[in-house]
Amino acid sequence: MLVTQADCERVVSAGNKMIKGFNILRNIGMFDSVSPNASINLTRLSLIYGETGSGKTTIATILRSLSLGDSLLVNERKRVGSQHLPHLVVNNDGQEITFQNGAWSQRLPEIAIFDDAFVAANICSGIDLYPEQRQNLHGLILGKQGITLNSQLQALVAKINEHNTSLQKKGAAIPATAREPFNVEDFCKLESDPNIETKIEDAGRRLAAAKKADAIRLHSGFTPFKLPDFNIETIKDVLGQKLEDLQLDAENQVRTHLKALAASGEAWVAEGTTHAMEIYHNTGNKVCPFCAQELCGSGLIMHYQAYFSGAYKELKAKILQTKDGVGNTHGGDIPAAFERSISTAFRTHEFWSNFTELPKISVDTAAVSRDWKAAREAALQALGEKAASPLEATELSPDAVGAIQTYRRRIEEIDELSKKLRVCESAINVVKEQSAVDDLSALQNDLAKLNARKARFDPEILILCSDFTEETKAKKTTEEKRDATRAELDTYRQKIFPTYETAINDFLSGFNASFRLGKMKPVNSNAGSSASYCVVINRQNVKITAGSGEPSFRNTLSSGDRNTLALAFFFTSLDQSPNLAQKIVVIDDPMTSLDEHRTSKTRTEMIDLCPKVKQMIVLSHSKPFLCALWKAAKLMPKDRSAFRLNRTDSGSDIVKWDVDNDSLTEHDKRYKLILNYVEFGGSNIERKVAEALRPTIEAFLRFAYPSYFPPEQSIGSFLKMCNETSRKIMSFDDIKKLRDLREYANRFHHASNPAWETETINETELTDFAEKTIQFLSRGFQILWRERADNQGNTEVTVTSG
């Protein structure tokens, strides 16, 4: 039930008030529609008598519901057959507290109730004791201060449960795909990493390497590659060479002559000149091999000899050799081989870039080919021209030099790229080593953690994690409060439980119980705090729960013992209450299953408790118990009241109860009837008075002479004993008076006169014998008390008649 601030204010304002009565009891239990009159006014001590089934338990339940604010207790007692909900109005010192439409207008928490519900809630259900009862007993022992602490603790525990529920919802809002393999809490604790992208790439490559371990083991690294260079100095040297001893005019004449010949004229002439010189060296004759004419007179022959000399041949050979060298180095399959090496480098780069970081490569092979071809053709062209005019010193043209320089820059680029890739060999070797030993599962987990760390700071995830983190901080704060409150409660419990155990055992001792309680202590569990104790019998500890066949609470305590224990707990809880003076104590049939001594002790405890509390309301089906309590209560008449629950055709009603009248014994009532007749007369009671004479005398004789007048004895037999015994039982005068009274009284007694109901009554005669009966009883009491006082040495005895 939710208690508002207004409820609390009303409780405080009602704190010093007593319950004055029930203005309306409608549609509940045995009460159909009861509106007690103004004379039904409860006081500081109010006794309510009712037979079983008359509505006592209903009233106790109403007051319990009012104390707890638990509307269910009232609603479940809706009158059987009624079409309407219960409607109650309780008079709280003039302030009406209503129960209507299923709820109370306010609570009265100072009401403390002992009834079957108290026993069942705190002690046991029948012969069994359950965890719920030990939990309730824990609250009973704690009292208001402890209950406040315990309530605070339970509220904090409930708040933590709310935090947990909220955390569960907020945690579920964070996608598992984003946070795995972390749990939500660890995921939200992740810190930002500025290098996360690089780490993810590295981890991804390493994982990929582990997956391709076999391929990596078999795959080689980068093979060096380069472009061939032009030996420009050699080319320049060749182009600039000439024969110093060969005159230019002779060369020009030979060239002019050779040009006039066929295409192979120079070769033919050169061979002929060589052949002629061989003849000359062999024979000494210088003749033409074709016409046999002397050659010595030809000036051109001399020029031929100089032109086709060995130095000339060497020069031409060097030119051709240089040209062939350029062709061999930069032509043929060489460009294709270079392109294949570049292609291999690209494939190798593509493979290893999956596993390690490599420099980017970019080679414009088409441009390289163009520049290479331009430089090659420029060099070959220059050498070709030189070969055509060996004796003419030439130079590379500016275009040729530019082409070769452009190509040389390509060489530098390719060399730099090759070096960069060769440097990656160490990284490739690391990949090979790692992939051979890496744990694939561990790498996958590492990569997942890095991806989760990156996802943690995604804008949407960032908001969700912030909500979860704030809730976690709030939970931690609540947990700190819970721990502090629990520590305070534990300190309080360590103090109160031993005190409570001592007080309980004091009560049990007063009740003359054969058992005590021991090892009383609080116990914490997931289900909540509870009280634990054992029963001590014959100095042996008996567990409250035990296995089959072992001594325990259920098989060592009688019904009376269990009720005695419940009373001890109830009285102790009140005794320990700091606001005892404000309590309204309601006790319903406390003496159930109790023997005479424990019943008397219960009554004594209630009498002692009554002046200490604001109000005590006692309900019982036992008139003797209530009557004895009424007599023993030391209260002013205005502070005590008594009522009874009467059955009616429609249910039960509350009426005033004359306790004094019901407290009288039958002897008291008969004696009072006779005495009132003597003093006031009354023809309407004459026969009742006449019938009352003999049982009144018999009751007196049983009290005054118990040894001689047992319950089965008759007055005639007693008189005979008085006459025959040697011991003086009664004086002769008293014997005569008793005999006269007996003879008259027998006329109106069924055992001695069959017509006793129609026996004629004479008013004067009846009055005379009524007076004699009163005198006989009064004088008899005086003699009796005087004799007893003499026997005790006491000469001052006050005797009252009747």
Side-chain angles (χ1 to χ4, degrees), residues 28 44 88-89 98 155 237 279 364 382-383 521 532 662 682 710 746 755:
I28 183 168
R44 186 169 188 179
L88 312 172
V89 178
T98 62
D237 180 63
I279 293 173
D364 189 347
L383 290 170
K521 62 182 179 180
S532 175
D662 276 357
N746 279 346

Side-chain angles (χ1 to χ4, degrees), residues 83 135 148 194 209 222 276 382 548 591 614 624 629 676 789:
Q83 299 300 314
Q135 290 174 2
T148 299
F222 289 101
S548 177
M591 69 292 168
K614 175 61 64 177
L629 185 63
N676 286 339

Side-chain angles (χ1 to χ4, degrees), residues 480-716:
E480 290 172 351
K481 292 180 180 178
R482 175 203 62 190
D483 294 342
T485 304
R486 176 172 289 161
E488 185 178 358
L489 177 61
D490 287 343
T491 300
Y492 175 80
R493 294 193 302 188
Q494 289 171 5
K495 178 182 177 181
I496 193 65
F497 267 74
T499 302
Y500 209 90
E501 180 180 320
T502 301
I504 285 284
N505 286 331
D506 287 344
F507 273 102
L508 293 176
S509 176
F511 279 108
N512 198 28
S514 61
F515 65 94
R516 299 291 184 270
L517 296 189
K519 296 184 177 181
M520 183 172 285
K521 62 182 179 180
V523 176
N524 295 325
S525 67
N526 292 334
S529 299
S530 62
S532 175
Y533 59 90
C534 67
V535 178
V536 181
I537 301 176
N538 297 330
R539 299 183 180 180
Q540 298 294 316
N541 293 339
V542 177
K543 297 179 180 179
I544 54 178
T545 58
S548 177
E550 297 180 5
S552 65
F553 182 94
R554 74 190 312 272
N555 57 31
T556 56
L557 297 186
S558 67
S559 176
D561 288 337
R562 293 191 294 273
N563 204 56
T564 298
L565 180 60
L567 285 167
F569 272 117
F570 181 74
F571 287 129
T572 300
S573 66
L574 290 174
D575 193 47
Q576 299 291 322
S577 175
N579 60 335
L580 179 61
Q582 305 305 320
K583 289 289 186 182
I584 298 174
V585 178
V586 180
I587 302 177
D588 180 16
D589 269 339
M591 69 292 168
T592 302
S593 300
L594 299 185
D595 58 24
E596 185 176 348
H597 170 74
R598 292 183 183 179
T599 298
S600 176
K601 179 61 178 177
T602 301
R603 187 166 52 244
T604 300
E605 291 293 340
M606 293 169 64
I607 292 170
D608 291 342
L609 177 64
C610 187
K612 301 175 184 178
V613 299
K614 175 61 64 177
Q615 185 178 21
M616 180 180 288
I617 301 173
V618 184
L619 304 99
S620 180
H621 68 280
S622 173
K623 280 186 180 180
F625 179 80
L626 293 176
C627 290
L629 185 63
W630 177 268
K631 286 183 178 181
K634 298 177 177 59
L635 294 173
M636 298 293 291
K638 66 180 182 64
D639 290 330
R640 63 179 186 174
S641 56
F643 310 94
R644 65 181 296 159
L645 302 177
N646 279 354
R647 286 192 174 90
T648 65
D649 292 339
S650 60
S652 292
D653 194 5
I654 303 177
V655 298
K656 294 194 71 173
W657 177 35
D658 187 353
V659 185
D660 291 327
N661 183 63
D662 276 357
S663 297
L664 296 175
T665 64
E666 290 301 315
H667 170 73
D668 293 334
K669 292 178 181 179
R670 288 192 294 267
Y671 181 86
K672 187 176 181 180
L673 177 67
I674 297 170
L675 185 61
N676 286 339
Y677 180 77
V678 170
E679 293 180 356
F680 307 108
S683 59
N684 58 323
I685 61 171
E686 287 178 344
R687 186 162 295 281
K688 290 183 178 180
V689 172
E691 294 172 358
L693 293 177
R694 177 172 166 173
T696 300
I697 296 170
E698 288 175 342
F700 164 73
L701 293 176
R702 290 192 187 96
F703 175 77
Y705 305 99
S707 299
Y708 303 101
F709 200 88
E712 67 277 4
Q713 184 73 283
S714 66
I715 298 177

Side-chain angles (χ1 to χ4, degrees), residues 780-799:
F781 273 115
Q782 291 175 1
I783 295 172
L784 178 64
W785 283 105
R786 186 178 296 111
E787 289 177 352
R788 292 183 179 179
D790 289 342
N791 292 335
Q792 297 174 6
N794 185 356
T795 57
E796 295 184 6
V797 179
T798 301
V799 180

